[in-house]
Amino acid sequence: MFLETLHLALQAILRNALRSFLTILGVVIGVAAVIAMVTVGQGSTDQVEADVSKLGTNLLMIRPGQGQGGPGGASSTAASLTLKDVDAIQDQVSSVNVATPMNSRMMTAILGNTNYSTNVTGTDNRYLEATDWAITEGRDFYDSELRSGTAACILGETVRKELFGSSSPLGDVIRIKQISCRVIGVLEAKGASSFGNDQDDRILIPIRTFHRRVAGNQDVSMIYAAIREGISTDKAKVDIELLMRERRRIGPGEDDDFNVFDMKQITSMLTGISSVLTGLLSAVAAVSLLVGGIGIMNIMLVSVTERTREIGIRLAIGATERQVLMQFLVEAIVLSLLGGLIGILLGLALAVVGSNMLAIPFAPDPVIILLAFGFSAVVGVIFGYFPARRAARMNPIVALRHQ
Amino acid sequence: MTLADETPVIALTGIAKTYGEGETEVRALQDVNLAILSGEFVAIMGPSGSGKSTALNMIGCLDTPTSGSYRFLGTEVGSLGRDQRALLRRNYLGFVFQGYNLLARTSALDNVELPLIYQGMARTERRALALRALARVGLTGREHHHPSQLSGGQQQRVAIARAIVTRPDVLLADEPTGNLDTARGQEIMELLTELNRDEGITILMVTHEPDMAAYAKRLVQFIDGRVASDTTNPAEIANVS
């Protein structure tokens, strides 16, 4: 009997193909919107996570200054970090695998007639280890170069491309301000970070070279500390904080005048933003799904009125209340499921296009797809029941007389 | 005739039907007594508002009496619920209307199959019966035409096929020739006469055309909600005005 009901419902739907299509348009758009939003949202979350893990989720960043202030922050009032801090963290904090100093500045690199403004970072070889960054061409710094502050530099892929085009830069000398700097290596291309900046747009030089020739002081603006495998970020963070408080002579009860960020914090902040956005957009999309459901109810009510005579005929030739109810209910459910199906396909198609445009992975979530499908069935039941009941309760005599 | 045959298919006793209440009360039927035996062909006539359609709806189990007793095949219809009456209609009654009342944009075959679908009959069996019913009314070759592609007479034949496909005991026809010209109307009446004679289907037909009523073997006239006359005399039937 169910198959017969389905047959009757399909007959009725096909008999009014255009109207059926317009009826489900609301659900199609609602479902497509939800699927597209969630899929693109999930893709961008995945992208952020991938970016951050590329940077190293086991990385802690230590900066002078109070509070969680972003770049700049309150650092000017707090004493800078020093190379001794780096050595102390490296030697005394057992949870830290590698600690590396960083100090950087935007400077113009010159080769012949070509000028290129880039980020010049003073650091050491452990920087490569901490950020898990390989050298594709050439080599890293010799210890002697690091100790003596030789003008040797390792280029990021973007800088290499800007200054040298397709030729190899190894052994050539570029000028950074007044420093003549020999290129000893090229970094592997990393692409854009989740913050949108180009990670390959940088030149590495030994930190001592930076101190002596660029900054004119011994400051370290940031320390990267890579945590030993299997040790929790929180533990490492506490260890570093204890050491730094001691080194910077911060009394009990006093606030830190430095802070330690971990990449996980940044990841969760970014994925948090992206999931809040996805949630909000999905909520809007869900509302449109609701509106789609009301659209179905509206058309079903119109359809019941318009088909009053048909209902009268069906009742007269022996359809029971239940059979008429089921026919209209199944019709509404089939309509909204059809809408759901088309919506899912359309949503996924939109998500593919959107993911391509935003250069993020296409991440369809089967749970959301099933949910959308189930939800459209529920929409059909809820918004189809009222019109169906109205049809079933009609008086056949009155219905037959209806023009 | 055997005794069993004397048990009426339709027995109305003291039937009254009133619509509305108080000032607006309309007495559509008053003290109607009517017994119809199996195999009869009854024409019901009367001026508009005389209650003939109300009576037909009641006999068709589409309506229930306000008071009195209506027994259909021995069952007291007044005490049945909507669905039980639907089952009576489905299994024992066939309807033919003035306006054909076919489902639009639905083939003749699908229209005729409809009552069998509600009976829950399997597809192949259903199809075979529907084809036979269409052949019986002379519409072989037009099974897949939609109502809009058929003439009025053909549409009414589809409606008759739909009414007889379930092999009902009683066929109720409400002005079956009302929308047709005389020639087409006579063809329909001949078909009904054949069905009554050959298949033994009891036929009740409401009409206001004396020519059509003349095909019946019994004539019941309603006036002001009451049975005014009831005759099986062929001469009276032929001369009704």
Side-chain angles (χ1 to χ4, degrees), chain A residues 263-336:
Chain A
M263 293 311 293
K264 246 190 235 153
Q265 253 172 304
I266 295 170
T267 318
S268 66
M269 189 183 76
L270 286 174
T271 56
I273 291 171
S274 121
S275 63
V276 165
L277 272 179
T278 307
L280 278 176
L281 292 173
S282 304
V284 172
V287 168
S288 77
L289 199 50
L290 184 75
V291 173
I294 294 171
I296 285 197
M297 175 156 76
N298 183 21
I299 302 287
M300 287 302 293
L301 280 173
V302 170
S303 162
V304 164
T305 308
E306 198 186 85
R307 289 159 66 191
T308 298
R309 206 178 167 80
E310 174 195 325
I311 294 162
I313 297 168
R314 292 180 186 277
L315 289 170
I317 63 173
T320 56
E321 218 169 283
R322 202 183 128 76
Q323 284 171 324
V324 173
L325 180 95
M326 285 308 287
Q327 184 197 327
F328 279 82
L329 198 55
V330 167
E331 213 174 302
I333 295 170
V334 168
L335 273 178
S336 60

Side-chain angles (χ1 to χ4, degrees), chain A residues 86-134:
Chain A
V86 181
D87 292 340
I89 292 170
Q90 176 79 65
D91 298 339
Q92 294 172 33
V93 182
S94 60
S95 47
V96 168
N97 189 20
V98 186
T100 180
M102 277 175 70
N103 204 348
S104 59
R105 189 169 292 183
M106 286 303 290
M107 294 171 86
T108 305
I110 303 161
L111 178 77
N113 295 331
T114 321
N115 289 2
Y116 185 66
S117 178
T118 186
N119 175 304
V120 176
T121 302
T123 185
D124 58 21
N125 283 333
R126 289 179 294 193
Y127 175 84
L128 301 174
E129 201 178 329
T131 55
D132 191 20
W133 207 337

Side-chain angles (χ1 to χ4, degrees), chain A residues 14 22 30 42 80 108 111 114 132-133 142-143 164 171 176 181 209 228 243 252 284 297 304 347 386 389:
Chain A
L14 292 177
L22 292 175
Q42 187 59 46
S80 177
T108 305
L111 178 77
T114 321
D132 191 20
W133 207 337
Y142 291 145
D143 280 352
F164 292 92
I176 304 169
C181 199
T209 315
R228 214 173 276 282
L243 177 74
V284 172
M297 175 156 76
V304 164
F386 178 58
R389 201 187 57 169

Side-chain angles (χ1 to χ4, degrees), chain A residues 233-247:
Chain A
T233 326
D234 292 339
K235 165 152 183 7
K237 220 167 148 180
V238 170
D239 289 350
I240 291 169
E241 275 165 3
L242 282 175
L243 177 74
M244 290 305 291
R245 281 178 75 90
E246 191 188 314
R247 288 185 62 80

Side-chain angles (χ1 to χ4, degrees), chain A residues 1 4-5 7-8 11 15-17 306 309-324 327 391-397 400-402, chain B residues 19 57-58 60 62-63 82-83 86-87 89-90 93 95 97 99-106 110-111 113-115 117-123 126 162:
Chain A
M1 195 59 221
E4 292 310 338
T5 312
H7 174 77
L8 287 177
Q11 247 183 10
R15 228 184 293 147
N16 292 296
E306 198 186 85
R309 206 178 167 80
E310 174 195 325
I311 294 162
I313 297 168
R314 292 180 186 277
L315 289 170
I317 63 173
T320 56
E321 218 169 283
R322 202 183 128 76
Q323 284 171 324
V324 173
Q327 184 197 327
R393 297 249 171 112
M394 274 186 189
N395 179 341
I397 299 172
L400 277 171
R401 222 174 276 148
H402 188 91
Chain B
Y19 294 107
N57 285 337
M58 196 167 297
L62 288 168
D63 210 349
R82 268 175 70 107
D83 281 350
L87 292 181
R89 291 196 294 275
R90 178 195 295 176
L93 286 159
F95 287 88
F97 306 94
Y100 325 130
N101 280 342
L102 298 175
L103 294 190
R105 281 162 284 171
T106 305
D110 284 340
N111 263 293
E113 274 187 46
L114 200 56
I117 289 180
Y118 288 124
Q119 284 187 343
M121 189 179 285
R123 189 185 172 82
R126 204 165 75 203
R162 181 179 65 190

